[in-house]
Structures are given as C-alpha cells and as structure tokens.
Amino acid sequence: MATIKDVALKAGVSVTTVSHVVNDTRHVSPKVRERVELVIRELGYVPNAMARSLKSNTTSTLGMLIPNSSNPYFAEIVRIVEDRCFGAGYTLVLCNTDDEPRRQSVYLQVLAERRIDGLVVVSTGAGSGSDDGDSLAKQLHGLRVPTVLVDREIDDPACDLVETAHMQGGLLAVRHLLSLGHKRIACIGGPAGVMPSEQRIEGWRMALAETGATPNADVLLWRGGFTSQGGYEAMHAILRTEQKPSAVFVCNDLMAIGALRAAHESGVRVPDELSIVGFDDIELSAYTSPPLTTVAQPKERIGALAVDMLLERVGGKRRDARKVVLQPELRVRASTARHASFREATVPSGDIGSSPSTPSAPPTTTRKSRTP
C-alpha cells in the first residue's frame, strides 16, 4: 500500500506539500497540485482517515445504534438516516444491539474509539427510569458527543429526542375499532417495560375507558415481544379463549403480520370475523392479505429530523437539547370492518340479495391524529 512518502518521492515534492494537497490546508500552485493528484491516482494512495481526524478533531462519521436490525421499521429508519448523512457529507457506522444492554455498552465503546462526531440511538431495554436506561445515560455522558435519541427516551437532559406520540397512536387505533362497533378489543403488546409499547398499551386502555367498553382491560392483554413469531403465538392464544374478541390492536406491524397468519391458520376470516390494527406502517403492511390497517409513524420526518438536529449540535449551531414529538396518522386498509351487529343493523329488512354477514369494505384513508 502506497504511503504519503511514496507520493512525495514520485511527484518530486515534500511530504508537507502532499499533505496540503490532500487536506486542502494551504495554497498549492495548480501545476503542482495536478502533478500530486495524478501520482495519488497512479499509486492508489488512500489518506489515513484517523490521522486526518486527529488534526481536524472531526471524522465526518456518525454512529447509530438500533435494537433489532431484522425489524423492518428500524431498517426503514436506518435507510432514511443513512441517506441524510450521505447527503450532508457524513458516513454512518451502524451497530445492531439485538436489544442486549451489554452489547449496547460494547458498541458504544467501539464507536467512542472510532472518534465519531455524533450519535443516533434507539436504546435497548426498558428505557426511561430503568437500570438499563440509567446505565445508558451514564455511558452517553461519558462519551461526550452530541446524541439524538429516537423512538425511546431515557433520562438524559443532554440528549436530543425525536419520537412519535405513541399513546396517541394507540388511541387512534382503538377509537377506529370502537367507531366500527367493536367492544371486546384485545391488545398484543411488545416487551414489558419498553416505553413505546407501554405507551401504546396505555392508549388502548384510555380508548376503552372512554366508552366503558371493558372495565377490566388487562384480561385482554397479551405480549408478543415485537416479533412476528410473538404476534403469531399471541393471536393463537387469543383465539383459544372462551370469549373471543371481535378486534385486536397489535402494537407493531411485525406482530400484526404474525397475527394475520395465525388467524388464517385458525380459519378466522379477517376482517369479516376479526378486525386487526397494527402500528408503524412498515412498507410490507400494504402488501399483507388483507392489507393491514395501521397507525403510521412519520418515518421520513423522524430520520431527517434526527440527522438535522444532530448536525446542528455537531456544527455548534445549538447547545441546548431539543425534544420533538411527532403525531401519528391512521392508515385505514382492509383488515378492519364494521362489527357484525353494526352490519346487521344497517341492512334494511326488505333488502333482498344483501347479506348481513358481508361487511362493506372501508375506504383506504388517512386520518390525522387529534389530541384527546
């Protein structure tokens, strides 16, 4: 591998001159610059990024931690963040923590050694107020780089935050089901203690409490671990219960996809016999059978804001931390329909040829969230 000395020797200039050409730190005559650049290309010389970062105190590199690279929601967020970073002249180092606090800790140390300029974090574990959240806050404080938290907040006033109003999303989902006449509405939540899941479940509880539909809602709460397998198993458990619900709010689309398969295997028709609503609006949700009604997180804005806020801090344009909470929207597709009792009530008694058991498919619409 060619060195800076090799370039200087072949170009007939000093090492200092080559350094000035590479780093653009001082004027070099066009003729000499052209000769040095030609030799660099001929020898395939690659400047030492670490050495350059030590001089400039920047690396033009950002880090990102996500808890599960197999979840399409995080994959879509990463794509947006990476595109935004690349457009701003930064490279992105991605680390998948697999929702393990120890792995998260190791990766933070690795990123610190790489001298990243800033960090985007979707934390593992329970987040705010938990031991894992407190540990992460201490690590980030020790890292001393600008940090933006996405999706899951922790108790660290120095970090920026971009997230969706998860509880509001849960309210949107369950109010939609209630408007269709469903009263017994189950919920498949994510891992216990993970804040987005707990907030979405709280939205489910609040919507039911508004109508008094289910006094003891927790008997209709299952956990699916935010995985398709978890949603599949939880739905099978729901369908084995004596008093089956007519609708299920599932706290992410990945679990909802598993739930759809379980319903299909059990011979339960969606949405004729069971309505299902997901959360996230991953790209795949529009291609399930039937297409999934879901609560859409504004992923484009989340990813773009995370990078823009981070670069403000990196560039010294802002010092105080910001917290941005974005509003979700409801995407109504074909996995939800009116409850059978509603359908029967709306069919005229003399309407020959109409079947009360056949629901009218709801239109595909977007409903903007409203503050409850």
Side-chain angles (χ1 to χ4, degrees), residues 175-193:
R175 283 174 176 169
H176 168 64
L177 293 170
L178 290 167
S179 73
L180 296 173
H182 297 282
K183 295 181 179 179
R184 191 169 180 81
I185 302 171
C187 177
I188 301 177

Side-chain angles (χ1 to χ4, degrees), residues 21 44 83 103 122 130 172 180 253 277 325-326 362:
V21 170
D83 285 350
R103 184 177 292 195
V122 185
S130 70
L172 282 174
L180 296 173
D253 286 351
V277 179
V325 180
L326 302 173

Side-chain angles (χ1 to χ4, degrees), residues 75-85 299-300 303-304 307:
E76 290 174 24
I77 290 289
V78 168
R79 176 65 181 271
I80 297 162
V81 168
E82 189 173 21
D83 285 350
R84 198 77 167 189
C85 287
K299 296 184 290 293
E300 290 284 346
V307 176

Side-chain angles (χ1 to χ4, degrees), residues 115-156:
R115 295 172 53 82
I116 57 171
D117 295 335
L119 182 62
V120 179
V121 176
V122 185
S123 70
T124 67
S128 181
S130 70
D131 291 341
D132 292 340
D134 292 342
S135 175
L136 176 59
K138 291 176 182 176
Q139 285 181 287
L140 293 176
H141 184 73
L143 199 58
R144 296 182 182 278
V145 298
T147 301
V148 176
L149 302 171
V150 173
D151 200 54
R152 305 176 184 181
E153 59 182 297
I154 62 171
D155 293 326
D156 189 338

Side-chain angles (χ1 to χ4, degrees), residues 218-293:
D218 283 350
V219 299
L220 289 171
L221 176 61
W222 277 260
R223 297 281 181 177
F226 277 162
T227 66
S228 52
Q229 180 66 27
Y232 171 82
E233 292 173 358
M235 181 58 83
H236 269 304
I238 289 170
L239 295 177
R240 287 194 297 266
T241 59
E242 188 174 340
Q243 286 186 295
K244 298 178 181 62
S246 64
V248 182
F249 166 48
V250 190
C251 286
N252 83 342
D253 286 351
L254 207 54
M255 292 191 297
I257 290 171
L260 282 169
R261 179 185 169 186
H264 176 74
E265 288 182 356
S266 300
V268 175
R269 293 175 300 164
V270 177
D272 297 33
E273 298 172 274
L274 182 71
S275 287
I276 296 177
V277 179
F279 200 110
D280 286 338
D281 193 30
I282 61 175
E283 186 177 349
L284 289 173
S285 65
Y287 298 93
T288 57
S289 182
L292 183 66
T293 294

Side-chain angles (χ1 to χ4, degrees), residues 25 39 55 66 91 158 160 163 172 176 242 310:
T25 50
V39 172
K55 291 182 179 179
I66 60 170
T91 54
D160 289 337
E163 69 174 343
L172 282 174
H176 168 64
E242 188 174 340
L310 189 58

